[in-house]
Amino acid sequence: MKKHSSIAIIAFMVFALAGCATTANKAFEASESQVKLRSMQTRAFDTTDTKKMMQTVISTMQDLNFVIDKADLSLGSITGTKFVNNCSVVMTVTVRSRGETQLLVRANAQVGINSIDDAATYQDFFVALEKAMFLTAQQVD
């Protein structure tokens, strides 16, 4: 009886460890859909003025009814929250340099813990951001 219990415990441990190894390998695996999502979330702009870009991103998010939760110029990160249909939408926008002549802006929106993977959502944000950048360049308040 004792021998059967030991075999059962060993078999359980082998299956448990094998399950962890499989999960750990997939934890950092990037699927094609994640690369596609990143592509939808990212735009390059021909400017190097990070401060002005971040101010424009904040203005754009406020125009889209987001309440700014955090903004950090040194990290190039802005996070805002908006309520839609009794759900909170959290958007984080990062601004970082790309080469010597461009800035890369990436927007990541989530409902709860789920990322929004709808291309139209990000297109709407970037269209609004491009319009705001145009108005900023023309010095229209």
Side-chain angles (χ1 to χ4, degrees):
M1 180 75 168
K2 202 172 190 181
K3 185 177 180 181
H4 292 293
S5 298
S6 298
I7 291 173
I9 290 173
I10 290 172
F12 173 75
M13 291 178 68
V14 167
F15 287 119
L17 291 175
C20 290
T22 302
T23 303
N25 288 340
K26 291 184 178 184
F28 299 106
E29 211 173 80
S31 68
E32 185 177 334
S33 64
Q34 290 171 327
V35 174
K36 186 177 176 182
L37 179 62
R38 178 183 287 196
S39 174
M40 290 187 301
Q41 295 174 330
T42 308
R43 293 285 189 282
F45 293 91
D46 293 330
T47 181
T48 56
D49 192 343
T50 304
K51 184 177 178 183
K52 188 178 279 185
M53 176 62 82
M54 289 192 62
Q55 290 171 338
T56 306
V57 168
I58 290 171
S59 297
T60 302
M61 290 175 71
Q62 289 175 329
D63 290 345
L64 296 173
N65 298 322
F66 280 90
V67 175
I68 304 301
D69 300 324
K70 290 187 278 185
D72 189 328
L73 179 62
S74 62
L75 294 176
S77 174
I78 304 157
T79 301
T81 303
K82 168 182 180 176
F83 292 99
V84 178
N85 299 331
N86 296 326
C87 295
S88 68
V89 177
V90 177
M91 179 149 44
T92 299
V93 179
T94 56
V95 177
R96 63 181 175 93
S97 63
R98 179 184 193 193
E100 296 180 8
T101 60
Q102 289 186 324
L103 291 175
L104 211 56
V105 177
R106 182 176 179 189
N108 182 11
Q110 293 181 312
V111 175
I113 60 168
N114 299 317
S115 288
I116 295 175
D117 58 358
D118 178 35
T121 301
Y122 297 107
Q123 287 171 349
D124 291 345
F125 171 73
F126 284 114
V127 166
L129 180 60
E130 288 168 357
K131 287 179 183 176
M133 287 189 60
F134 175 77
L135 294 175
T136 301
Q138 301 301 317
Q139 297 180 344
V140 176
D141 292 326

